Amino acid sequence: MTYPDTITLAKGAHKDRSDGLCLLEAVAWFAGEPHSDHPACVSPVLAAYGRSLNDALGDDSRRLLIPFISVLSRTAGDGLDEARGYLALDWIIRVYTPAWLDVAGLTREARALRDLRCISDMAAVQDARPVVLSAWDAAWAAARAAARDAARAAAWDAAGDAARAAARDALAPIVTQLQDSAIILLSAMIQPETTT
């Protein structure tokens, strides 16, 4: 089966193949399992991540998931889910969150998260906890201040769709960067012993 010529991945779950296929439904089909976005042949950690990633991506980026169909079908029960969980947690703490903190102007907090050692075990989680909580507090304080300022100015409602479109356009590069990084994370999570 040549995936790029025969499969188009779509957002969400589908009642059957004629209605479309998400990443995990394509895996079930490849593995000869009944139509489902919860195939038994896939690690539960990878399945949850794959469903979320599939739905977060646009159509063009979603095509980049097609090469993962066959390898995902061999991950259930392989004993790597703990390592996968730490890879995901590390990405959230040291990649995803700092990117948004930078957008909010909280560069010191972003740098502190990026400078943490790799989150690969519970000791690293405990070491990271105070830095994460400090960044969280700073982000909430910034969000409250921004909400207060927006309420005073009422500019968001006055500008309406134009303001939302401008905000979406301004954030598009960071969204694209994080989506690309999330696809790389999926690859790393499939074989975590080669990346940790």
Side-chain angles (χ1 to χ4, degrees), residues 51-63:
R51 281 188 296 274
S52 295
L53 183 58
N54 178 87
D55 292 350
L57 297 175
D59 292 340
D60 290 340
S61 295
R62 195 177 296 115
R63 291 191 56 71

Side-chain angles (χ1 to χ4, degrees), residues 97-194:
T97 303
W100 291 113
L101 289 172
D102 281 337
V103 168
L106 300 171
T107 56
R108 183 174 51 86
E109 290 80 2
R111 189 176 330 101
L113 291 177
R114 284 187 183 100
D115 288 347
L116 289 168
R117 71 180 171 105
C118 181
I119 311 297
S120 59
D121 56 31
M122 192 51 71
V125 171
Q126 292 301 324
D127 290 347
R129 187 174 188 273
V131 179
V132 170
L133 291 176
S134 176
W136 180 263
D137 290 343
W140 273 111
R144 283 190 296 275
R148 193 171 43 248
D149 292 346
R152 279 192 209 120
W156 193 257
D157 286 337
D161 290 339
R164 285 187 283 278
R168 186 177 48 251
D169 291 347
L171 295 175
I174 192 68
V175 170
T176 299
Q177 174 189 344
L178 288 172
Q179 287 178 342
D180 292 346
S181 177
I183 293 169
I184 293 167
L185 174 62
L186 176 61
S187 180
M189 288 173 68
I190 290 170
Q191 285 297 324
E193 73 274 3
T194 63

Side-chain angles (χ1 to χ4, degrees), residues 67-92:
F68 296 106
I69 292 170
S70 64
V71 292
L72 283 170
S73 71
R74 299 184 300 268
T75 58
D78 63 5
L80 300 174
D81 281 350
E82 183 177 352
R84 290 178 177 124
Y86 282 122
L87 279 172
L89 182 60
D90 182 70
W91 184 81
I92 289 167

